[in-house]
Amino acid sequence: MASMDRGLHGPLVPQPDVYIPSPDQGFDFDAVKDLVIWDQFGNRKRFHTLYQETKTIIIFVRHFLCYVCKEYVEDLAKIPRDYLQEAKVRLVVIGCAPHTYIREFRQETRFPHEFYCDPDRDLHKALGLRLDGTHGKASPHVKSSVISGVLQSTWRAVKSMHYQGDMMQQGGQFIVGPGKKLHYAWRDRNSQDHTSVNQLLAEAGVQQINLPNDPRIIQV
């Protein structure tokens, strides 16, 4: 029997019965290691190469027109490279849009770190990331109100004239590696349920930042 979920502005829609791990449940390394992600140039990469040699913070975001994700990634962009290098930690963001939209999204967010896409959402599904349109509130990284945020997203959509990822897909955050080591796992239950930037840094053993006043923040 299919369940029913309500999107932010849409009607009830049927959802398939799928197993959704709890937010802090584990990470099936064998199920995901050979799944393919894409960089902004259309090059393929096996997922396990992101963490097989180093500890890696991996952040899954929603569609690229989502103002919540844009503002979250804007704060992730403020993490200095040398903080990560000193801790020997890699930072990666993965979206669910076609790879052709990565460059524009990175320019909008000024994100200088690694960015990939999982356009068919095979990786999202294998990791049990939720598929529903629930909209959350109270993220410390979201500065816009719902009204101004939706207007921004709508304007960006009008300019693009294309959907940039599944609007029902939720994200998640993981810290893994090197090899089959899981340090942290969180699956977003709604659009603003993501782990705060400084909590992720603390979990990964990286120096935390002051938002927005850290003098070592790289402005790109």
Side-chain angles (χ1 to χ4, degrees), residues 3 5 15-26 121 124-132 168-171 186-189:
S3 61
D5 284 308
Q15 296 293 314
D17 286 326
V18 294
Y19 169 63
I20 302 293
S22 62
D24 58 352
Q25 197 162 331
R121 298 185 298 106
H124 287 70
K125 295 170 189 174
L127 287 171
L129 300 181
R130 290 177 179 271
L131 189 67
D132 67 56
M168 302 294 286
Q169 182 67 59
Q170 300 290 353
W186 183 260
R187 294 166 177 86
D188 298 349
R189 294 165 295 191

Side-chain angles (χ1 to χ4, degrees), residues 87-112:
K88 296 181 172 60
V89 171
R90 194 172 180 177
L91 174 62
V92 174
V93 169
I94 299 176
C96 61
H99 75 271
T100 50
Y101 297 109
I102 293 177
R103 184 190 298 274
E104 181 181 356
F105 190 74
R106 290 185 68 188
Q107 289 174 343
E108 289 178 341
T109 58
R110 298 183 176 183
F111 186 76

Side-chain angles (χ1 to χ4, degrees), residues 79-157:
I79 301 171
R81 291 180 187 273
D82 54 347
Y83 280 26
L84 297 168
Q85 292 169 351
E86 288 167 7
K88 296 181 172 60
V89 171
R90 194 172 180 177
L91 174 62
V92 174
V93 169
I94 299 176
C96 61
H99 75 271
T100 50
Y101 297 109
I102 293 177
R103 184 190 298 274
E104 181 181 356
F105 190 74
R106 290 185 68 188
Q107 289 174 343
E108 289 178 341
T109 58
R110 298 183 176 183
F111 186 76
H113 309 291
E114 293 181 72
F115 207 117
Y116 301 94
C117 274
D118 175 33
D120 295 324
R121 298 185 298 106
D122 293 333
L123 190 52
H124 287 70
K125 295 170 189 174
L127 287 171
L129 300 181
R130 290 177 179 271
L131 189 67
D132 67 56
T134 306
H135 184 68
K137 58 183 179 180
S139 166
H141 300 291
V142 178
K143 300 85 179 172
S144 300
S145 67
V146 174
I147 293 175
S148 65
V150 169
L151 289 174
Q152 291 174 47
S153 295
T154 302
W155 173 241
R156 291 169 62 219

